[in-house]
Amino acid sequence: MLNTTSYSKRLVVRVALLVLLMGVSIHAAIYLYQQRLIIPQMLESEQTKADVLLQAYLPVISNAVQSGEEQVQLLVSQLGLIENPVTGHLLLDGLLIEAADGQRWGRRHLPAEAESEHPFVSEAILFSSGEAREMLGVVTLYYSREFFDLLNREARDSLLQLSLLTIALSMVLLIVLAHYLKPLHVLAESLRVWEVGGKPSQLPKLSTSASMEIALVHNAMSRLLDDLHSYQTSLEQLVSERTAELEQHRDHLEQLVESRTA
């Protein structure tokens, strides 16, 4: 009798191990893809935005520094209130203007210790307008990382959903494949435990999930076992007839020996 329970247990274990291996592999691939391709591209894109924004306002900042502290303070306040059209939050985490004479103006929305670790920092030198270009100071712009964090979360969620979908499809594929291969496994087990003298009826009946190829193998094996059984029956009959003839010859020889000795 075939142990279908044992087969089911082995199938569950194999599917679980395959799904676990595929899950680890997919997550590792997604992590490497995200770290080496997606995140660098997003970082470059946000840094480019910071540089373009600073270059666009650089002439205005230079004029404000030349006009005096009041104009600089007003400009810093205006730039610090610009909102990101996507998130609705402030577009800048900070803006620092340092004049050549040592005066400093700034507007910060982040801790001072976090400035050195900020991912999107753009710096430029301020020059006066006109033919005699003089250095007025340095401006440092801290572009908001909120939109980058939003994109990073969305990319991570999308890739996670893709990995879960891939794992789910793989599980379904493995289960369906195991379901359709089960008749072949049962047939192989039947042939393995088939003994000399066994009858062809020992082969199991095919289930409805068996494919045409497995049905062809089953029929071929059944015919082969029928031929083997017929050959075995004929051989046993031939051996029985030869054994009976040998016994008759032995009895005849014994009678001849007895008649001569008498």
Side-chain angles (χ1 to χ4, degrees):
M1 178 181 292
L2 297 176
N3 192 350
T4 55
T5 303
S6 177
Y7 172 77
S8 301
K9 290 181 179 179
R10 291 198 302 271
L11 175 62
V12 171
V13 172
R14 290 173 181 174
V15 170
L17 290 176
L18 284 174
V19 170
L20 178 61
L21 180 61
M22 293 181 64
V24 172
S25 301
I26 291 173
H27 278 289
I30 289 176
Y31 177 79
L32 293 176
Y33 177 77
Q34 183 178 7
Q35 294 296 320
R36 296 187 178 182
L37 185 62
I38 295 181
I39 290 182
Q41 288 181 350
M42 291 193 300
L43 286 171
E44 183 180 359
S45 175
E46 294 302 292
Q47 183 62 49
T48 301
K49 292 178 183 178
D51 296 337
V52 170
L53 182 64
L54 181 59
Q55 292 298 322
Y57 280 97
L58 203 57
V60 180
I61 296 174
S62 298
N63 292 333
V65 172
Q66 293 180 86
S67 299
E69 180 178 355
E70 184 178 351
Q71 291 295 325
V72 175
Q73 293 283 11
L74 179 61
L75 179 62
V76 169
S77 299
Q78 292 175 347
L79 292 177
L81 296 177
I82 299 177
E83 294 183 354
N84 189 317
V86 178
T87 63
H89 294 83
L90 297 179
L91 189 63
L92 301 181
D93 285 338
L95 180 67
L96 178 63
I97 300 175
E98 185 174 0
D101 58 4
Q103 286 187 292
R104 301 182 69 183
W105 303 276
R107 184 182 182 91
R108 297 184 179 89
H109 302 287
L110 72 163
E113 60 272 11
E115 291 182 1
S116 61
E117 301 177 356
H118 201 281
F120 311 117
V121 180
S122 184
E123 295 181 328
I125 299 176
L126 299 173
F127 291 96
S128 62
S129 58
E131 296 181 359
R133 292 174 59 83
E134 297 180 0
M135 179 179 174
L136 300 176
V138 178
V139 58
T140 305
L141 181 147
Y142 299 91
Y143 194 79
S144 174
R145 62 172 298 160
E146 182 186 22
F147 187 59
F148 167 77
D149 293 337
L150 176 63
L151 293 177
N152 192 19
R153 286 194 300 270
E154 290 180 351
R156 185 171 59 249
D157 293 342
S158 299
L159 292 175
L160 179 60
Q161 293 174 2
L162 178 61
S163 66
L164 293 177
L165 178 61
T166 305
I167 292 174
L169 292 177
S170 301
M171 289 179 61
V172 173
L173 178 62
L174 290 173
I175 293 174
V176 171
L177 184 62
H179 174 70
Y180 280 98
L181 289 180
K182 184 176 181 180
L184 183 60
H185 172 80
V186 174
L187 179 60
E189 287 292 320
S190 299
L191 295 175
R192 186 178 64 84
V193 300
W194 190 82
E195 299 176 354
V196 177
K199 296 180 179 180
S201 59
Q202 287 179 327
L203 285 181
K205 293 183 178 180
L206 290 179
S207 62
T208 55
S209 63
S211 62
M212 182 181 298
E213 290 78 7
I214 296 178
L216 292 174
V217 173
H218 183 276
N219 293 335
M221 290 297 178
S222 296
R223 289 195 298 270
L224 178 60
L225 292 179
D226 285 335
D227 294 340
L228 288 175
H229 184 67
S230 300
Y231 176 75
Q232 182 179 353
T233 302
S234 301
L235 184 60
E236 291 176 351
Q237 183 177 359
L238 180 60
V239 170
S240 178
E241 292 176 354
R242 293 293 182 268
T243 303
E245 292 177 359
L246 288 174
E247 290 179 353
Q248 290 178 1
H249 286 299
R250 186 187 61 185
D251 294 339
H252 181 65
L253 289 175
E254 289 178 354
Q255 292 176 1
L256 289 177
V257 171
E258 290 177 358
S259 61
R260 289 183 180 181
T261 56

